[in-house]
Structure formats: structure tokens, C-alpha cells
Amino acid sequence: MPIRQTFKLALACAALSVTASHVALADSTQSPSAPQTELTSDFVYKYLIGELAGQRGDVGLASNLFLDLAKSSRDPRLAERAAKTAVYANQPGLALQAADLWAKLDPNSIEAQQAATQLLIGTGKLAEAKPHLVKLLQKEDTRANGFLYLNSLLAKYPNKDEVLMLVQDLAAPYPNLAEAHFTIAHSAWEAGKTDLALSELDTAEKLHPGWEIGALLRGQILLANSPADTLTFYRKFLEKHPDANEVRLTMARLLVNQKRFEEAKFEFMKLVEASHGNPEVLVVVGLLSLQAGNYAQAESYLQQALQADFKDKDQIYLYLGQIAEKQNQDEQAMTWYKKIEPGSERYLDAQFDIAGIIARTQSVDAALAMLDNLQDLSLDQMAPVVQAKASLLNQAKRYQEAYDMLGKAVAEYPNTPEIIYDYAMTAERLQHLDVMETELRKLIQMRPDFAQAYNALGYTLADRNINLDEAEKLISKALALRPNDHYILDSMGWVQYRRGELDKAADYLRRAYTTETDPEIAAHLGEVLWQQGKYDEATQTLDQALREHPESEVLINAAKKFNKK
């Protein structure tokens, strides 16, 4: 039988089951606004082709067919199917058409409004998204959560002033809603308008006294300028609202970052007491104890979480293994890691930690051989294994081997952003700056939301003191995607330093160093402070960082440079 006839026969046979399932769907889930779809032979044929295309990986064709069917049938379920398939196919234009149709065909669907809004904002069409946002906020019972949803929805939009204006317009009809004022405050803060942000939080506090979300945002805003003021605010808030455990947890984290471990320990005990043995809280407090260097306390809390039947036991096994490693108890660490069995989503992480111990106690080559012998890996798991092997080589300063390995992996897994990023970073170590730049620009085109790519390229340009305008734009984009990332804040501080904007540079670097006491950030902050003439503060910053990271080459080099001056 000819292939064409065989294909038609297969379609005809499959049509019976598809038609039956589609009729059942219409009978059981039909919304009041959805029309009864006439199951003509042409409809069934297109539907089947769409299904087959999707199964064979041609999701672009599938989404086009489902959109055509949605247009002809006016069925919102098909528009929904087309929108979601187009998103999966990475076809934002088609996804936007389908989502817009979905929202029009089912105007009461919050999911449809959200989908259309996300796609419009993602393609830079903020003004066109406004009508959908207005609809999202119309229902009184979901309005408060709708305003809070705006904060995440608009977080990646680069023009923060436009976002603030939009949010103010949307909030204007609701002057007595705390969430509306909170959302204005959040947008104002991201737009650099701190006074407006604090003023709006004052209003939100009057409307909703003791609201933890508002207190946490105020703490973030204060932290940019003064950790001491932030701690004072948290303590006063907790005096009035002692059950505000999210605020207490945030304060404990800040105390750990500030190396005020005894004060943090007191807050840990309060949190554990208030949790009444909640295993999730025990895990968080255990991790904070680990960060504070109190390994016995960390182990105790994590063991308690295990006994309290914490759901993700494998995650605790990983943490307990890391605690054992910190105390040079390698055999005990291996015992914990080996509790995580194949099939667990934590399995590879455990194998990577085991490889790290082997590299440290035996040799890097033995660790590489161990990773090579991992069995039954899926395609999704192979790329992380390559990354882990390259990381071991980089740690051993065998950069050329890592570069060669990642180069092959880029060819083998061309659509894996993490591999491309690691390849670019290894190229930079070997001073193959043309390769690094090419790969990062390729990655930005492939994944416009990959913040690290913008940051790495921008920082490299700034560090070489070239193309500073582009460097600042790239880092600004990264910061829009990840506003509180300490590495990106450090990069922005560095580009401001290269521009001669010392005050701005110091502000960004202090924010970064407050978030994470990283040695490279300390070196940058020390250099900027020195150039500002703040020699004592610069020396103090470097000395403290060197005590914590005595083997850091970047700190040692910075200290030598200052000693020469």
C-alpha cells in the first residue's frame, strides 16, 4: 500500500478516538462561554495533524494548527492549547496572538488574562498590557493578590520608570488598599525613588498595621544604605509584633551576614521555639547555623528535621554531608552522600560532592574517572556531568583541558545555556576573549533572560576599561533580571568606578558586600574606598576580608597594591 494511503488510513482510524475524546471534553468541561465545536472531517484532520506534529517535536506547526482551529471554532480551549504550545515552541509572536484570542474568547478566565499580560510585557508592549491588568484587578476577592502578582510580573521589565507610572495608574482607583500602596512602593524602589517608596509603605502600614510583607520591603530598602538602621527597624517591629517570624528570620540572616553570630543564635532559638518543631523551620535554622560556622548546632537542627519527617530527606543528607566535610570528616560525609540513591533528583548533586572529596583526597583524575563511570544517565543529566568535570579541572587550574572538554560539549549540546556559559568563562581564563564574547552574545540571543550572560560580558568590558556605555547597559539589564544579586551589584559598582563615579560605585559595592562577604567584592570595595581617600575604611575592609579568606589571590593583590601607595 502506498505511503500516502497508509497515512490517510492511520488518520482515519485515529479520528474515531480523537473525535470521541474531543466530544467527551466538550460535554464534561464546556464553559458557558465556549461554543459547541462542530467536529467536521476538516476539523478532525487538522486536529490530528496538530497532535501528531506535537508528538514528533514540531511544536511550531502544532501551535499554528491549533490557533487556526481556535479562530474558526471560537473555542477558548483551543486558543489556550495554541498559546501554551507556542510558548513551548519559543514563538512569542504566535503565542501572543493565541493568548490574546484566548482572553477575548474567555474574558472571565484569570489564567487567560495573565498569559496575555505576561507575553505582552515580555515583548515590551507595556501599554497594550494595561487593559488586561485592569481586568485582573476588577474582581474584589482577587484584587489584593492581583496587585502583589504585579511585582513578579513586572520585575524583568527594563524601564522601571514606565513600570512605576503604570502601577500608579492601576492603583489610583484603590486608595484604601494596602496591597496597592505596597506595589507602588516596590516599583518606586526599583526605579530608584526611595523617598516615594518609604512614603507608600507608611500608607500601607496605616491601612494594614503589622503587615510583614511591608516590613520586609522596608528592611530591603534600608539595607541598601545602612545594615545598622535595618537591624534597628527589625527589632522595633518585632517588639510590637513578636510573632512576625518572617521578619525574625530575615533579621537572623542579616546578623549572620554581619558576622554577629551570638545575636543570630538568640534569634534562631526564638524561631525554633515558635515553630513547635516544624521541620521546614528547623532546616532553615540549620542552614543559617551552618553559614554561621556553628556546625554542631546545624547538625542538631537538621537531625531534628529528619526525625520530624521532613519531606525531602535527600536534601538534608546533602547538607549533613557538607557539614561533615567542613569538619574534615570525609568518611562520614561520603556515608551521608551515599544515602541518596539513583533516581532521586538529588542523586547527581551527591555524586558531584563525592567527586569533590575524591579530587581532594586522591586526585582530580580519579574524580573524573568516577564521574565517567556513572551509569544510566538521561540526556538531561549528561550536560551537568560535563559541567562538574570541567569545574574540577578549573579548580585544579587545568584550564586548557576544561576548555577543550567544554568546547566539545558545546558542539554536542548546542542548546544548553549553562554549558555555553561555562565555556565562555573558561575561555576568559585563557584570555580567549574573542571566544568568550562570541559565546556570551550567542547566549544572550538564545536566552534573553539569562542574567549571568549580560553580567559576565558587561563586567569583562568594564574590567578591560573598554566600551563602558555598553558595559553599563548590559549590567543594567542583568540587574533588572536579578535586582538583588550581589555579583551583579558588584559589576555595576565596578563599571561606575571605571567611569569615575566613585560615590555611586561605593553605594553599589556596599550593597553587594552587605548581601555577601565575597573576597572579590571586598577587593573592589577596598579599592574604591581607597580612591575616595577613605584609607582607614579601605584598610579595615581588606584586613577583615583577608582574615576570613587568607588564601584569596584577589585580596592579596589588592592589599599589595595599597601598600605600595
Side-chain angles (χ1 to χ4, degrees):
M1 185 181 294
I3 293 175
R4 183 179 179 83
Q5 290 180 342
T6 304
F7 182 62
K8 283 186 175 181
L9 179 60
L11 286 177
C13 294
L16 292 173
S17 60
V18 172
T19 303
S21 66
H22 198 73
V23 170
L25 178 65
D27 290 340
S28 63
T29 65
Q30 188 76 33
S31 68
S33 60
Q36 289 288 341
T37 303
E38 183 182 355
L39 298 174
T40 65
S41 59
D42 185 59
F43 177 94
V44 173
Y45 181 79
K46 282 188 176 180
Y47 189 90
L48 281 167
I49 293 294
E51 287 285 352
L52 289 171
Q55 291 173 15
R56 293 180 177 184
D58 192 350
V59 284
L61 174 59
S63 54
N64 270 295
L65 286 167
F66 290 136
L67 180 56
D68 285 344
L69 290 171
K71 287 177 179 177
S72 61
S73 67
R74 311 303 291 173
D75 190 328
R77 296 162 303 172
L78 286 167
E80 176 185 357
R81 181 78 178 276
K84 291 179 177 179
T85 307
V87 168
Y88 185 77
N90 195 25
Q91 295 191 6
L94 186 62
L96 185 54
Q97 287 183 54
D100 188 57
L101 179 61
W102 177 20
K104 288 174 180 174
L105 295 175
D106 192 357
N108 295 320
S109 169
I110 292 177
E111 187 183 4
Q113 300 296 339
Q114 287 178 336
T117 304
Q118 288 173 346
L119 288 163
L120 285 165
I121 291 170
T123 52
K125 299 175 180 177
L126 199 61
E128 293 177 39
K130 186 176 178 181
H132 294 284
L133 293 171
V134 170
K135 286 183 181 179
L136 282 173
L137 299 170
Q138 281 178 345
K139 291 184 179 180
E140 186 175 357
D141 57 339
T142 59
R143 184 177 299 142
N145 285 334
F147 270 106
L148 297 180
Y149 166 69
L150 291 182
N151 295 308
S152 59
L153 180 64
L154 298 167
K156 294 181 180 180
Y157 194 80
N159 191 323
K160 301 305 180 184
D161 289 327
E162 283 185 32
V163 169
L164 175 57
M165 290 176 62
L166 172 65
V167 168
Q168 287 175 312
D169 286 346
L170 293 169
Y174 312 108
N176 297 319
L177 186 65
E179 286 82 359
H181 291 281
F182 173 87
T183 302
I184 295 174
H186 189 275
S187 300
W189 175 50
E190 291 206 326
K193 295 176 172 56
T194 303
D195 291 341
L196 175 59
L198 293 172
S199 174
E200 291 292 332
L201 285 176
D202 289 340
T203 304
E205 173 65 19
K206 290 174 185 175
L207 293 167
H208 192 161
W211 194 25
E212 280 196 83
I213 292 177
L216 290 169
L217 179 57
R218 187 182 294 272
Q220 279 187 284
I221 294 170
L222 293 173
L223 185 61
N225 292 317
S226 172
D229 289 349
T230 308
L231 289 170
T232 299
F233 164 69
Y234 285 150
R235 287 197 171 98
K236 288 181 179 178
F237 187 87
L238 288 167
E239 285 175 9
K240 294 181 181 178
H241 312 285
D243 295 331
N245 288 323
E246 285 297 323
V247 171
R248 192 177 300 281
L249 179 59
T250 303
M251 184 172 77
R253 285 194 179 107
L254 179 55
L255 288 167
V256 169
N257 286 338
Q258 294 291 303
K259 312 299 182 187
R260 297 164 70 165
F261 298 130
E262 286 304 312
E263 295 171 71
K265 184 177 179 180
F266 176 79
E267 302 303 333
F268 296 165
M269 294 170 66
K270 286 267 190 183
L271 285 165
V272 171
E273 182 182 343
S275 77
H276 303 293
N278 183 304
E280 283 77 15
V281 174
L282 289 167
V283 170
V284 171
V285 175
L287 293 180
L288 286 171
S289 301
L290 172 59
Q291 189 179 348
N294 192 330
Y295 303 131
Q297 188 180 64
E299 185 173 0
S300 173
Y301 286 134
L302 291 172
Q303 292 276 21
Q304 289 178 56
L306 274 179
Q307 293 167 12
D309 203 25
F310 182 71
K311 291 181 180 179
D312 191 353
K313 288 183 170 56
D314 287 348
Q315 182 67 78
I316 295 184
Y317 295 150
L318 277 178
Y319 292 146
L320 288 170
Q322 290 162 10
I323 290 170
E325 278 197 76
K326 292 282 187 182
Q327 300 176 90
N328 298 318
Q329 298 171 358
D330 292 331
E331 289 186 13
Q332 181 60 56
M334 296 275 267
T335 299
W336 286 120
Y337 294 143
K338 288 178 180 178
K339 283 181 176 288
I340 303 172
E341 298 179 354
S344 166
E345 64 179 49
R346 311 286 182 190
Y347 176 70
L348 273 189
D349 291 330
Q351 298 307 304
F352 297 156
D353 285 332
I354 290 172
I357 293 175
I358 293 173
R360 178 162 42 79
T361 58
Q362 299 178 33
S363 70
V364 170
D365 290 324
L368 294 174
M370 171 260 171
L371 291 174
D372 282 335
N373 287 328
L374 291 177
Q375 301 293 316
D376 301 322
L377 296 179
S378 68
L379 286 174
D380 289 340
Q381 291 175 317
M382 290 178 182
V385 171
V386 172
Q387 286 182 275
K389 289 163 64 179
S391 177
L392 289 172
L393 290 168
N394 278 323
Q395 290 171 27
K397 298 185 179 181
R398 292 161 60 173
Y399 301 131
Q400 187 62 51
E401 292 175 70
Y403 178 75
D404 293 340
M405 178 185 294
L406 289 166
K408 291 178 182 177
V410 165
E412 191 171 353
Y413 311 108
N415 297 317
T416 307
E418 293 77 14
I419 291 283
I420 296 171
Y421 180 78
D422 286 356
Y423 180 49
M425 292 299 93
T426 305
E428 189 267 341
R429 288 191 178 97
L430 291 169
Q431 294 299 303
H432 298 331
L433 300 181
D434 54 338
V435 174
M436 182 212 70
E437 185 170 340
T438 298
E439 293 300 315
L440 289 177
R441 292 192 188 279
K442 179 173 73 176
L443 180 51
I444 288 169
Q445 289 294 318
M446 178 192 300
R447 277 277 304 274
D449 63 341
F450 201 97
Q452 299 97 313
Y454 295 97
N455 182 57
L457 183 54
Y459 176 79
T460 301
L461 294 174
D463 201 43
R464 293 157 63 193
N465 208 15
I466 61 173
N467 301 340
L468 294 181
D469 287 344
E470 184 186 10
E472 185 169 0
K473 286 179 182 177
L474 288 163
I475 297 167
S476 294
K477 175 66 176 177
L479 205 53
L481 292 167
R482 300 181 65 174
N484 300 310
D485 188 296
H486 55 279
Y487 290 121
I488 301 174
L489 288 167
D490 172 64
S491 297
M492 183 58 82
W494 200 239
V495 77
Q496 295 302 330
Y497 171 60
R498 291 300 199 193
R499 285 186 169 283
E501 299 283 353
L502 297 182
D503 290 343
K504 287 183 181 179
D507 287 343
Y508 279 111
L509 291 167
R510 281 197 177 95
R511 283 176 60 190
Y513 197 54
T514 298
T515 306
E516 183 66 40
T517 54
D518 180 87
E520 187 166 352
I521 300 173
H524 288 164
L525 178 57
E527 183 156 347
V528 170
L529 292 170
W530 191 275
Q531 295 300 332
Q532 286 182 306
K534 299 177 181 179
Y535 305 122
D536 290 342
E537 187 180 354
T539 302
Q540 183 180 0
T541 299
L542 286 170
D543 287 347
Q544 180 181 339
L546 276 167
R547 283 194 294 273
E548 295 170 9
H549 307 280
E551 297 179 359
S552 169
E553 291 182 13
V554 68
L555 282 171
I556 293 169
N557 291 335
K560 286 178 180 178
K561 181 161 62 173
F562 296 142
N563 287 337
K564 292 177 182 179
K565 294 187 178 182

